[in-house]
Amino acid sequence: MNKFKIAEPQTLEHVTSLSSEDTTYKLMAGGTDLLGEIKDGIIEPEIVVDLLSIPGLSYIKKDRSGVRIGALTSLVEVAESTLIQNEYPALHEAALSVATPQLRNIGTVGGNLCQRPRCWYYRDPQVQCRKKGGSRCFASNGRNKYHAILGGRICHIVHPSDLAPALMVLDAKVTISTPQKDKTVPLVDFFTLPSVNVRRENILAPNELVKEIILPPVKRGEKSTYRKLKERSTWDFALVSAAVKGIVSEGIFNNIKIVLGGVAPIPWRLERAESLIRGRKVRINSVKQAARRALADAQPLKENGYKKELVEAVLSRAVFSLV
Ligand SMILES: Cc1cc2nc3c(=O)[nH]c(=O)nc-3n(C[C@H](O)[C@H](O)[C@H](O)COP(=O)(O)OP(=O)(O)OC[C@H]3O[C@@H](n4cnc5c(N)ncnc54)[C@H](O)[C@@H]3O)c2cc1C
Ligand code: SF4
């Protein structure tokens, strides 16, 4: 582990005034992911910028535009909020499914969305894979049990965040602090595929940061859920997860939106399955068939073909929990 200095900015402007070309600093919120990367020697920053020293970025507020969640709000605050539990159950369930109570106490919403991939080649300091500036993806012909079945091509990571699919299904927006002025973009436009820039997982420049998440008001009759399948019953990242939102009446979804986690480098919308489920009486076989048809283009690697079956299972659970 390299020695580094801690910077304690008091304002967002201080952070955004840092040079975007400067690779010697890293932003830290709870540090549950960042410090692991530093300890393992994957990154070696000279300065760690402690975002927790900036006041006023931890809150859950409701106003006419919906619910606003500050980037430094802890995962436990999201999981324990009755407002979130009552109005956005998918987010409540997703926050509750992250890691352990200790990590949820410290981990933040912004950090959860910006955490780096768990690919074991990426996390191995000896391996210089494509994501770290090398020329090869070692997972494509190596050990790839936990990797992507969709959207990988040059780098097969899966996005590790549980909050991301839930927030995306809820049509969340993200406000980003930049050196110029804040900008707000739909969360769907925040995450980027490796084909856009293999070194990054989102649109943030190094001196930009997530400031706030905005959830639109819930429509009348709208329900949502987040289901996660893990390898171990104790804490674990998702093998596959499904966030589903919809309006159901007499066993028929008038409206449905599905976003999967654990299958692609970004949270993955399953529009084809949505159109096959919408407007029909929900039956177990039809949901499984919708999942199968929606995954027709999936390209599993040698060890992760099982994820297709898991999608059928997790989607069925999620969809039936709303009926
Ligand atoms: C043992 C273990 C188990 C875990 N299990 C799960 C799990 O099941 N599900 C899951 O979703 N996650 C899991 N995680 C990841 C953990 O949830 C995240 O590490 C946590 O939410 C990150 O929040 P943090 O505030 O600690 O982020 P940090 O570690 O401080 O930061 C993470 C990354 O985000 C960047 N960052 C932080 N805040 C911002 C911001 N506001 N704007 C821009 N960039 C920012 C940092 O520079 C860093 O690169 C696990 C982690 C561990 C160590
Ligand atoms: S999947 Fe991505 S992070 Fe993993 S070895 Fe391949 S290039 Fe590296």
Side-chain angles (χ1 to χ4, degrees):
M1 176 167 163
N2 72 306
K3 281 193 178 166
F4 56 83
K5 291 187 180 148
I6 295 267
E8 294 185 326
Q10 297 301 306
T11 62
L12 282 172
E13 290 68 34
H14 186 163
V15 180
T16 53
S17 67
L18 295 162
S19 161
S20 65
E21 309 304 319
D22 188 349
T23 52
T24 60
Y25 69 86
K26 290 281 175 199
L27 307 183
M28 178 175 77
T32 58
D33 184 34
L34 187 89
L35 291 176
E37 283 202 285
I38 296 175
K39 275 190 211 152
D40 291 345
I42 300 161
I43 51 172
E44 297 187 331
E46 287 171 21
I47 301 171
V48 168
V49 181
D50 183 4
L51 298 177
L52 290 178
S53 62
I54 305 172
L57 288 177
S58 170
Y59 54 84
I60 300 176
K61 293 183 210 163
K62 187 172 180 178
D63 59 27
R64 269 211 250 134
S65 61
V67 168
R68 295 169 181 272
I69 305 177
L72 296 184
T73 309
S74 71
L75 298 172
V76 75
E77 285 170 291
V78 174
E80 289 183 356
S81 157
T82 44
L83 171 63
I84 301 294
Q85 187 168 4
N86 292 338
E87 300 195 17
Y88 307 98
L91 179 57
H92 163 74
E93 289 160 2
L96 208 53
S97 81
V98 173
T100 60
Q102 292 88 338
L103 286 158
R104 293 197 291 275
N105 264 323
I106 299 173
T108 64
V109 170
N112 188 269
L113 295 177
C114 299
Q115 61 176 295
R116 303 305 313 275
R118 306 308 293 193
C119 169
W120 39 38
Y121 298 107
Y122 171 76
R123 295 273 163 173
D124 183 338
Q126 309 294 332
V127 176
Q128 191 70 1
C129 74
R130 202 172 267 155
K131 186 166 270 301
K132 291 191 279 189
S135 58
R136 280 181 61 193
C137 170
F138 291 89
S140 57
N141 290 317
R143 306 305 308 265
N144 44 44
K145 180 176 173 185
Y146 302 115
H147 288 74
I149 58 173
L150 289 156
R153 289 183 31 222
I154 58 167
C155 162
H156 303 274
I157 59 153
V158 293
H159 202 284
S161 164
D162 281 307
L163 259 47
L167 286 170
M168 204 183 284
V169 96
L170 294 167
D171 296 311
K173 291 183 181 165
V174 55
T175 299
I176 298 170
S177 275
T178 83
Q180 290 77 38
K181 55 178 185 172
D182 290 358
K183 60 180 176 190
T184 299
V185 297
L187 194 61
V188 64
D189 297 331
F190 177 73
F191 297 107
T192 53
L193 283 167
S195 52
V196 175
N197 181 346
V198 73
R199 304 293 299 273
R200 296 194 191 155
E201 294 82 46
N202 56 52
I203 59 172
L204 290 180
N207 60 349
E208 295 182 343
L209 71 151
V210 172
K211 181 181 176 187
E212 182 180 72
I213 302 297
I214 306 168
L215 289 162
V218 180
K219 295 193 185 110
R220 181 189 273 267
E222 200 169 71
K223 299 178 183 177
S224 69
T225 189
Y226 179 74
R227 298 290 155 129
K228 170 175 174 180
L229 297 182
K230 304 178 291 184
E231 192 166 39
R232 309 180 308 161
S233 58
T234 175
W235 71 265
D236 212 346
F237 290 90
L239 289 174
V240 167
S241 66
V244 178
K245 181 182 77 173
I247 300 179
V248 200
S249 152
E250 295 175 12
I252 294 175
F253 276 89
N254 300 320
N255 233 320
I256 184 163
K257 185 171 178 187
I258 301 168
V259 179
L260 298 180
V263 296
I266 57 173
W268 198 262
R269 176 103 184 255
L270 224 53
E271 280 175 278
R272 188 138 185 237
E274 291 167 15
S275 66
L276 291 167
I277 294 170
R278 194 181 303 116
R280 302 198 176 100
K281 190 96 184 159
V282 174
R283 297 185 206 288
I284 186 90
N285 283 342
S286 56
V287 175
K288 289 193 169 181
Q289 197 183 27
R292 267 197 298 279
R293 287 175 62 182
L295 293 181
D297 298 336
Q299 291 180 318
L301 303 165
K302 198 167 152 227
E303 297 178 343
N304 66 1
Y306 71 94
K307 287 199 176 190
K308 287 174 83 170
E309 279 179 45
L310 289 195
V311 171
E312 292 178 29
V314 79
L315 190 60
S316 304
R317 282 186 204 178
V319 165
F320 276 92
S321 74
L322 297 184
V323 175

